[in-house]
Amino acid sequence: MLKTEQETTVFSDEGDDTLGGRLSMARDAAGISLESLASQLGVRQETMIAWESDRSEPQPSVLVKMAAMFGVSPSWLMTGTGDGPGEDSDQRALEAVKIELSRLRSAHQEIGLLIETTTRQIERLDHQIRLRNVSKDVAH
């Protein structure tokens, strides 16, 4: 991806081609959690998720406030041109990727626990059904 002097990004990603993708990337690059940002802006986390997934958009005044918090220009958040997260902050980019990896690991662990729980439930129900069927066969 060729960059002009005014167009800087931490890393190239298809997700940064939308307002939501740029919001998420800038928040990660700034090291601000979703929960913390929602609290600072006085909105629900679900609202933040909707903004970052392009299901809705923040009011312009909120967008300007987030741009200041992230250290990017409002223009970059809206259009992708202008001052984005600085390239000079390779450390911030690394931290953003580490945060994303941590989120993925947590989700992976949670899914693993859900799979184990569901497997045990299936085994327990299967055992109960078999016992009932054996009881019915003995009664006949």
Side-chain angles (χ1 to χ4, degrees):
M1 172 179 183
L2 293 176
K3 298 178 191 170
T4 64
E5 288 181 27
Q6 290 185 348
E7 195 174 16
T8 56
T9 57
V10 176
F11 45 79
S12 179
D13 178 27
E14 288 181 16
D16 67 2
D17 289 339
T18 67
L19 172 62
R22 287 186 294 276
L23 284 171
S24 178
M25 185 172 72
R27 181 179 55 75
D28 284 345
I32 301 172
S33 72
L34 186 77
E35 299 82 6
S36 174
L37 182 60
S39 175
Q40 291 177 50
L41 294 174
V43 299
R44 296 181 341 196
Q45 290 181 36
E46 293 80 11
T47 302
M48 292 296 313
I49 292 168
W51 292 345
E52 290 189 359
S53 61
D54 294 307
R55 288 184 282 130
S56 68
E57 294 181 356
Q59 294 291 324
S61 60
V62 175
L63 197 65
V64 170
K65 187 174 182 180
M66 284 190 287
M69 294 168 73
F70 300 151
V72 299
S73 71
S75 173
W76 181 83
L77 281 179
M78 291 184 283
T79 66
T81 59
D83 296 328
E87 284 186 358
D88 58 338
S89 65
D90 288 339
Q91 187 63 36
R92 284 196 315 178
L94 176 61
E95 289 305 314
V97 174
K98 285 181 179 179
I99 289 168
E100 190 64 24
L101 179 59
S102 176
R103 287 182 191 154
L104 288 169
R105 283 186 173 145
S106 293
H108 181 264
Q109 183 177 15
E110 185 175 338
I111 289 170
L113 292 173
L114 289 171
I115 289 170
E116 288 176 22
T117 301
T118 304
T119 301
R120 283 193 301 272
Q121 289 173 337
I122 289 171
E123 290 169 352
R124 193 170 40 252
L125 289 170
D126 186 49
H127 182 70
Q128 289 173 357
I129 291 168
R130 287 177 193 220
L131 286 176
R132 252 186 257 134
N133 289 339
V134 167
S135 296
K136 287 179 186 177
D137 289 343
V138 170
H140 288 112

